[in-house]
Amino acid sequence: MRVRLWGTRGSVAAPGADTARYGGNTSCVEVRGPHGTVLVLDAGTGIRPLGRALGRGVRRVDVVLTHLHMDHIQGLGFFAPLYDPDVETHLWGPASTTLNLRGRLVRYLSPPLFPVHLRDLRRLVLHDLPVGEFDAGEFRIVADRVCHPGFTVGYRIAAGGATLAYLSDHEPALGVPCFPVREDWTSGYGLARDVDLLIHDAQYSRAEYADHVGWGHSSLDHALAFAALTRAKHLVTFHHDPAHDDDDIDRLTAAATAAVRVPCAVTAGAEGAVFELGSR
Ligand SMILES: [Zn+2]
Ligand SMILES: [Zn+2]
């Protein structure tokens, strides 16, 4: 499978000259299967340029949401395939205890917050996300709840013998006196175990995390420790804090990887980066 990052920023878009290398768009990742299935992880502002780049010939796109915080759905209304009669978009996302996915999304995709009504997007098919396993085209997907405020899931995605874990918003260290402890008590462990590529929340420095315990995110140190615990082969840090410019991300990544011996490759997630997994 082929993985491309279209938005790596957390919380709110942060465009500008000093974030140009890692990118200012919020969470969005494109995954292409060996036979061409198009899967999109989250609909942050990065989904807008992805929609423009999809190209002709694509007839179906599956978009899976981790949760409905604004940085993960803000680009949805600007996803060009939603207005293309030749493309069917299937959107998978968590319901709440009182509202289905449609009821939750309509709060954003309706006036006054957005000029187009959700009901007018005729080629959009909504699915309340099943926690557990399901298929989207050639992808076998496992969705499981993870530690983050509200109903939030992480994903494990398999196709063509390759595996990817996507844990964009994740605080597995919450409530753990010395992270990590046991594998079976660690949020997200089953999703990320032995994956080829782990895309994981790394929003804060160690010092910043101390002031943001319970906000739902990880420090770089936590992301590295989680990657080591799960034996992921390659960690891509993600959901960069909007206050961190490119030089900050370079400096924090270098410091964190120098401080601990990490048994896997580590790459700071940059908009436009492409990862090839398994054989195509
Ligand atoms: Zn987020
Ligand atoms: Zn969130």
Side-chain angles (χ1 to χ4, degrees), residues 24 57 68 83 91 96 107 120 211 230 249-250 275:
L68 273 68
Y83 307 95
L91 182 66
S96 73
R107 291 177 168 182
D120 293 330
D211 292 329
T230 57
I249 294 172
D250 286 339
F275 306 91

Side-chain angles (χ1 to χ4, degrees), residues 11 66-72 148-149 152 168-170 201 215-217 239:
S11 304
T66 53
H67 61 314
L68 273 68
H69 285 162
M70 277 300 285
D71 52 324
H72 298 258
H148 187 71
T152 302
S168 65
D169 294 48
H170 190 211
D201 190 331
W215 287 44
H217 300 291
H239 211 272

Side-chain angles (χ1 to χ4, degrees), residues 74-93:
Q74 197 165 12
L76 193 58
F78 303 91
F79 187 46
L82 292 180
Y83 307 95
D84 183 339
D86 294 331
V87 184
E88 193 168 83
T89 301
H90 289 255
L91 182 66
W92 307 74

Side-chain angles (χ1 to χ4, degrees), residues 70 73-75 77-78 104-110 113-114:
M70 277 300 285
I73 61 169
Q74 197 165 12
F78 303 91
R104 301 183 82 194
L105 271 180
V106 80
R107 291 177 168 182
Y108 165 43
L109 289 171
S110 61
L113 295 182
F114 194 70

